[in-house]
């Protein structure tokens, strides 16, 4: 025991003195931070090496999440010896000279060109991930006067029915107010629904109910081909909102988290315009987390472009591009970044319109390195590989009698959730929701890995589950639907 109770303590501190205990346990196999010697340790590499072995083990069956593990960043190791901080506006830099703003602007320029907005007409930054980009997009929409869902102002906020957790996060942070809307003249709520609906629900959605304060319009919004998507306007209805002069904020999903459905952006805009909204009265934020990088390289895929009436786009840098640090990119129109959002921060010698302030300076360099080394041809090749292998998995599952669905332009294969087998789910890192699970076929996923997965799935499968409510009857293999016979 090393007792430091005799150190100089002020009056009244004697009873609160600190004792440092030396443990006799084998600390080489523990990650707990309990021992303090004040000296540098040279045996920590053993713990790191064991952890690397663990990562390699799990990576052999890493199927359920959109994280590209085919990484080649050995040449950037020297950067880990520096703290790099991109606080402030990337276009203005800061007085903290250890920043990578120059790399960041190059990355932003690349995405601006991809999404067709000229330099000098856009603003953006490298975020901590797609969620921050979504929050920033919503923040801009609210700042410009688009109301959140509220019984007081009757504004409209739209979101995909199968949207991920970002909307809940926005509500938790107070950027949007969650309000249940009923057909009672309350606030309007626009919903983009994707997936299979019961036949009676389709008929209900198509009805125009005269004498009531609800107008529902059936539109083809999703690329989830199992059923038409619907846009609902509840409460006071679009026509009444138009007369009241309210505005609409819409989040467009270029790829839903669980099913990989892609909204038709053109039809979303067309629907808003047909309902009386001019482009100056709605704001569309495009959540392109995974597919925002993939879609531009797919023939006939929905096009993300600022040539359309959109306000902002975000993607996740750690998904398709494979940045080892969670990060993202958000691009918006420069005219939306006003004095209310952007403030001078004297202490860093810059302006700041970001959410987080201090930002990882390593992430832009990793993104730059990936885009520079891959090039457009390399990225296109990666996209085609993922789409081809997703189709392969879909075919293997269907051929084995397992209910499965693969949306167009998607690398996300949805299928029956493995029953009573959490060990299998964790072994393959599957993402599950209700009765369904999915595999996200990324660059590191091989056909050999997929064959092994299907084989093991069949060995542990009891019977076919009915997943028609999630993927449509034609994609279900239960005894009631048996979609493979049709």
């Amino acid at each position: 025991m090393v007792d430091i109770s005799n150190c100089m303590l002020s009056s009244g501190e004697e009873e609160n003195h600190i004792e440092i205990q030396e443990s006799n346990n084998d600390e080489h196999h523990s990650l707990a931070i309990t021992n303090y010697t004040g000296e540098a340790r040279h045996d920590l590499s053993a713990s790191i090496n064991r952890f690397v072995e663990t990562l390699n083990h799990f990576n052999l069956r890493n199927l359920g999440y959109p994280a590209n593990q085919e990484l080649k960043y050995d040449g950037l190791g020297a950067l880990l010896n520096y703290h790099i901080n991109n606080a402030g506006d990337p276009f203005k830099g800061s007085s903290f000279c250890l920043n990578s703003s120059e790399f960041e602007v190059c990355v932003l320029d690349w995405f601006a060109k991809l999404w067709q907005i000229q330099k000098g007409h856009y603003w953006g930054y490298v975020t901590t991930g797609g969620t921050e980009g979504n929050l920033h997009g919503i923040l801009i929409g609210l700042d410009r006067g688009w109301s959140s869902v509220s019984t007081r102002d009757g504004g409209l906020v739209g979101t995909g029915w199968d949207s991920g957790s970002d909307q809940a996060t926005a509500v938790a942070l107070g950027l949007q107010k969650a309000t249940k809307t009923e057909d009672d003249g309350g606030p309007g709520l626009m919903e983009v629904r994707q997936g299979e609906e019961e036949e009676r629900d389709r008929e209900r959605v198509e009805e125009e109910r005269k004498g009531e304060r609800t107008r529902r319009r059936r539109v083809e919004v999703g690329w989830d081909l199992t059923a038409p998507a619907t846009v609902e306007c509840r409460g006071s209805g679009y026509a009444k909102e138009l007369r009241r002069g309210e505005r609409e904020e819409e989040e467009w999903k270029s790829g839903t988290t669980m099913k990989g459905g892609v909204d038709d952006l053109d039809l979303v805009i067309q629907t808003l315009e047909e309902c009386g909204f001019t482009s100056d009265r709605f704001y569309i934020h495009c959540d392109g987390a995974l597919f925002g990088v993939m879609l531009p390289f797919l023939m006939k895929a929905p096009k993300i472009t600022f040539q359309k009436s959109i306000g902002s786009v975000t993607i996740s840098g750690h998904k398709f591009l494979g940045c080892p640090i969670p990060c993202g990119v958000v691009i918006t129109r420069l005219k939306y970044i006003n004095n209310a959002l952007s403030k001078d921060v004297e202490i860093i010698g810059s302006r700041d319109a970001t959410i987080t302030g201090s930002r990882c300076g390593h992430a832009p360099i990793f993104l730059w390195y990936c885009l520079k080394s891959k090039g457009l041809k390399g990225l296109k090749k990666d996209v085609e590989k993922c789409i081809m292998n997703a189709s392969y998995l879909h075919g293997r599952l269907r051929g084995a009698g397992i209910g499965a669905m693969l949306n167009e332009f998607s690398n996300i294969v949805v299928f029956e959730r493995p029953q009573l087998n959490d060990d299998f789910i964790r072994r393959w890192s599957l993402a599950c929701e209700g009765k369904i699970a999915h595999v996200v076929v990324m660059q590191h996923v091989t056909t050999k890995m997929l064959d092994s997965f299907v084989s093991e799935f069949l060995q542990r499968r009891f019977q076919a589950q009915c997943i028609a409510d999630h993927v449509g009857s034609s994609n279900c293999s239960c005894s009631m639907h048996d979609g493979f016979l049709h």
Side-chain angles (χ1 to χ4, degrees):
M1 176 188 296
V2 179
D3 189 347
I4 60 171
S5 59
N6 294 324
C7 293
M8 296 182 62
L9 301 174
S10 60
S11 178
E13 291 184 340
E14 287 78 7
E15 295 182 0
N16 297 322
H17 69 272
I18 301 173
E19 290 187 353
I20 301 178
Q21 301 286 344
E22 290 287 354
S23 173
N24 293 324
N25 296 330
D26 185 3
E27 59 193 51
H28 299 298
H29 297 287
S30 173
L31 296 181
I33 306 173
T34 57
N35 300 327
Y36 305 86
T37 64
E39 299 177 357
R41 294 285 299 274
H42 300 292
D43 58 347
L44 299 181
S45 59
S47 296
I48 299 300
N49 289 337
R50 281 194 297 273
F51 182 57
V52 170
E53 292 176 2
T54 300
L55 292 176
N56 287 332
H57 171 76
F58 285 116
N59 202 38
L60 293 174
R61 301 177 183 84
N62 181 27
L63 291 182
Y65 295 89
N68 173 14
Q69 295 294 336
E70 193 176 72
L71 311 182
K72 298 178 181 178
Y73 293 112
D74 293 345
L76 302 183
L79 296 175
L80 298 180
N81 293 317
Y82 297 91
H83 170 82
I84 309 175
N85 195 317
N86 284 14
D89 191 320
F91 297 93
K92 297 184 180 297
S94 74
S95 55
F96 182 75
C97 296
L98 275 72
N99 65 72
S100 63
S101 296
E102 186 176 1
F103 289 88
E104 184 172 9
V105 171
C106 287
V107 170
L108 296 172
D109 284 344
W110 189 90
F111 280 101
K113 187 175 182 180
L114 184 71
W115 296 325
Q116 296 181 310
I117 184 168
Q118 294 182 353
K119 191 174 181 64
H121 291 266
Y122 85 88
W123 186 86
Y125 69 100
V126 173
T127 66
T128 57
T131 297
E132 183 183 345
N134 289 335
L135 296 178
H136 198 276
I138 293 171
L139 182 63
I140 294 173
L142 296 178
D143 179 74
R144 297 198 65 226
W146 281 268
S147 303
S148 60
V149 177
S150 166
T151 55
R152 177 175 58 83
D153 57 36
L156 294 170
V157 172
T159 178
W161 186 261
D162 284 332
S163 295
S165 62
D166 297 352
Q167 291 293 318
T169 304
V171 170
L173 292 177
L175 295 180
Q176 293 177 216
K177 186 178 294 183
T179 304
K180 182 179 179 181
T181 57
E182 303 291 349
D183 298 336
D184 58 1
L189 173 62
M190 183 175 181
E191 296 176 345
V192 180
R193 287 195 176 188
Q194 294 172 320
E196 181 75 8
E197 290 185 314
E198 296 292 340
E199 197 65 34
R200 61 180 181 273
D201 291 330
R202 297 182 191 176
E203 294 172 357
R204 172 184 58 80
V205 169
E206 291 174 339
E207 291 179 353
E208 294 283 348
R209 296 190 295 176
K210 297 181 180 180
E212 298 187 15
R213 302 178 98 181
T214 300
R215 176 189 176 191
R216 288 188 174 125
R217 177 184 178 84
R218 181 172 180 265
V219 294
E220 299 286 341
V221 176
W223 284 99
D224 189 340
L225 301 181
T226 62
T230 65
V231 172
E232 291 187 356
C233 184
R234 298 179 182 173
S236 50
Y238 278 117
K240 186 171 182 180
E241 293 295 340
L242 177 61
R243 290 194 297 272
R244 291 168 60 184
E246 302 294 350
R247 296 180 174 183
E248 162 76 357
E249 180 179 351
E250 167 72 5
E251 182 187 28
W252 178 74
K253 303 292 290 187
S254 58
T256 54
T257 304
M258 194 64 199
K259 299 177 184 176
V262 181
D263 295 335
D264 187 334
L265 178 57
D266 292 329
L267 193 52
V268 171
I269 295 173
Q270 177 186 334
T271 302
L272 288 169
E273 291 175 344
E274 288 179 356
C275 290
F277 289 94
T278 55
S279 60
D280 62 327
R281 295 181 56 232
F282 62 80
Y283 181 94
I284 296 178
H285 169 70
C286 301
D287 176 10
L290 170 63
F291 292 168
V293 182
M294 297 178 66
L295 292 178
F297 297 96
L298 293 172
M299 294 290 292
K300 299 182 179 180
K303 193 172 185 180
I304 306 172
T305 171
F306 279 90
Q307 301 300 312
K308 301 176 183 179
S309 300
I310 64 174
S312 49
V313 184
T314 188
I315 61 101
S316 298
H318 54 280
K319 293 184 177 178
F320 187 78
L321 295 179
C323 180
I325 303 168
C327 63
V329 171
V330 62
I331 298 286
T332 186
R333 299 181 189 274
L334 180 61
K335 64 182 180 180
Y336 296 161
I337 305 299
N338 53 34
N339 291 331
L341 285 174
S342 182
K343 300 290 186 181
D344 286 320
V345 184
E346 183 178 2
I347 196 170
I348 61 172
S350 183
R351 291 184 67 81
D352 195 8
T354 69
I355 290 179
T356 51
S358 285
R359 295 179 294 108
C360 175
H362 293 82
I365 303 176
F366 279 98
L367 291 175
W368 171 87
Y369 192 88
C370 172
L371 295 173
K372 194 81 170 178
S373 58
K374 285 278 186 180
L376 294 176
K377 291 183 179 180
L379 292 173
K380 187 175 186 296
K381 184 178 179 180
D382 281 357
V383 171
E384 292 172 346
K385 173 185 176 182
C386 292
I387 296 296
M388 181 177 65
N389 285 347
S391 180
Y392 175 82
L393 172 61
H394 181 241
R396 289 280 283 111
L397 290 170
R398 288 179 66 100
I402 300 173
M405 177 186 74
L406 174 62
N407 276 307
E408 192 175 8
F409 313 119
S410 178
N411 63 330
I412 298 178
V413 182
V414 186
F415 51 90
E416 305 169 20
R417 179 175 184 162
Q419 298 170 282
L420 304 175
N421 207 323
D422 288 341
D423 289 341
F424 177 78
I425 290 173
R426 290 188 175 276
R427 174 178 167 82
W428 290 95
S429 296
L430 299 181
C432 301
E433 185 178 83
K435 293 183 178 180
I436 59 175
H438 77 202
V439 163
V440 186
V441 183
M442 302 301 292
Q443 290 91 322
H444 66 278
V445 177
T446 64
T447 55
K448 182 178 179 180
M449 189 187 303
L450 297 175
D451 286 338
S452 178
F453 165 73
V454 174
S455 176
E456 188 173 337
F457 189 5
L458 289 172
Q459 292 175 14
R460 296 169 180 253
R461 185 171 180 244
F462 298 108
Q463 62 183 11
Q465 292 192 81
C466 180
I467 55 174
D469 288 344
H470 299 277
V471 300
S473 57
S474 63
N475 296 307
C476 181
S477 66
C478 74
S479 58
M480 182 185 303
H481 298 102
D482 199 5
F484 305 109
L485 298 180
H486 302 297

